[in-house]
Amino acid sequence: MEQTVSKIEELLEKPCYVINFLPEQVKPSSRGQFFDVECYLLNSDKHFLLKDKFVNIIIKLMCYYHVSIQLDDWIDRPSLQILEDAINTIMNNHSGWLNILLPDETVLVVFEWDNLNLTVYNPSKEIQALMQKIACSEGLFWRKSDMILIIFQN
């Protein structure tokens, strides 16, 4: 378990990509209504549409790679129902996240209820190419993240 925790922490510092409903990050100087849109998508029935797209992406990924997910404990090769139930619970509670690990590839996919994306850490070129196709198949966009991870240490 400790080994998995340190692997996750290590992966969170690797380059990351996102699967998002927007083709590029909204600039802070934008005069659009991103935060209104984000709030609406997360709090209306539209969040079920996004949830379904994210579940579909993870299911498609499971066709190609060995997957483990982190709920309370790690579940190796979870059933599709466990996966969907976990994401439903997170969305319905408006709280939580799900770590999806591709242990043989050393790739981490993170689903968080309050993000309109899946974040993918440390994908190889091969996985990037596949994830771009999978994202496109769900009407979403694959791109390098502009996110900067800040880790606070005591």
Side-chain angles (χ1 to χ4, degrees):
M1 183 67 170
E2 270 183 49
Q3 185 178 10
T4 304
V5 170
S6 71
K7 181 186 270 192
I8 298 298
E9 289 173 356
E10 181 182 317
L11 286 171
L12 289 172
E13 295 178 17
K14 298 288 184 183
C16 70
Y17 292 76
V18 294
I19 295 176
N20 196 284
F21 80 105
L22 293 171
E24 59 185 51
Q25 184 170 347
V26 176
K27 293 177 177 44
S29 62
S30 170
R31 297 181 54 99
Q33 295 175 259
F34 173 76
F35 294 109
D36 293 336
V37 170
E38 179 183 52
C39 183
Y40 175 74
L41 290 175
L42 288 172
N43 294 298
S44 73
D45 286 343
K46 294 274 188 199
H47 82 272
F48 292 111
L49 296 172
L50 280 172
K51 185 269 308 175
D52 288 342
K53 290 176 184 270
F54 292 149
V55 168
N56 290 342
I57 287 168
I58 297 164
I59 286 172
K60 290 175 184 180
L61 196 59
M62 291 170 74
C63 292
Y64 296 94
Y65 299 103
H66 170 190
V67 169
S68 297
I69 64 171
Q70 183 183 21
L71 293 173
D72 293 326
D73 292 316
W74 282 95
I75 300 172
D76 193 47
R77 300 184 189 273
S79 73
L80 301 179
Q81 193 60 56
I82 287 174
L83 173 71
E84 185 156 18
D85 289 348
I87 292 177
N88 276 334
T89 298
I90 291 166
M91 291 298 282
N92 290 334
N93 291 341
H94 290 254
S95 176
W97 70 92
L98 181 67
N99 287 328
I100 301 114
L101 184 64
L102 283 59
D104 299 336
E105 308 301 321
T106 319
V107 172
L108 177 67
V109 179
V110 179
F111 168 78
E112 296 179 84
W113 87 268
D114 61 347
N115 282 325
L116 298 174
N117 64 56
L118 290 175
T119 309
V120 183
Y121 295 89
N122 200 42
S124 66
K125 295 284 185 201
E126 178 183 301
I127 292 174
Q128 289 179 45
L130 179 63
M131 294 294 279
Q132 183 173 13
K133 292 173 189 172
I134 291 173
C136 184
S137 76
E138 293 296 327
L140 299 171
F141 300 93
W142 169 262
R143 60 182 165 83
K144 187 156 178 53
S145 176
D146 298 328
M147 178 177 69
I148 300 171
L149 179 67
I150 301 172
I151 299 176
F152 296 98
Q153 295 179 331
N154 295 355

